[in-house]
Amino acid sequence: MGYSTETSCRTKKCMTCQYWQGRRKIRFCTSSDVRVQYNNDSSNCSAWNQSRNGGSVCNRYKRWVELP
């Protein structure tokens, strides 16, 4: 199954956060354009211990370690 949404890896939203446990993958368009593909479904966030949407923003953001 494909991913429904894609965004820049520079955004500070759940889909680029270490704590978000949703389904996602990195896509390298060019060396300066790296994107994260994800499903915009709710998934568990270990920082809040509750479900969060991939597009959510919070003050506990920590950059996902797999991002370049």
Side-chain angles (χ1 to χ4, degrees):
M1 180 163 76
Y3 294 90
S4 62
T5 310
E6 179 177 278
T7 193
S8 169
C9 73
R10 293 184 185 104
T11 61
K12 292 186 176 183
K13 295 185 178 182
C14 287
M15 88 290 285
T16 62
C17 180
Q18 181 64 32
Y19 300 120
W20 193 68
Q21 299 171 6
R23 187 171 163 260
R24 59 191 167 178
K25 75 174 185 176
I26 298 170
R27 184 168 80 92
F28 293 90
C29 298
T30 65
S31 59
S32 61
D33 184 17
V34 179
R35 301 193 165 265
V36 175
Q37 294 178 317
Y38 66 102
N39 286 333
N40 206 18
D41 301 331
S42 293
S43 189
N44 191 42
C45 168
S46 58
W48 291 97
N49 198 26
Q50 61 182 254
S51 186
R52 295 271 181 175
N53 180 293
S56 299
V57 179
C58 81
N59 60 352
R60 294 184 184 178
Y61 177 85
K62 181 178 177 184
R63 186 175 168 87
W64 185 26
V65 296
E66 293 189 32
L67 291 174

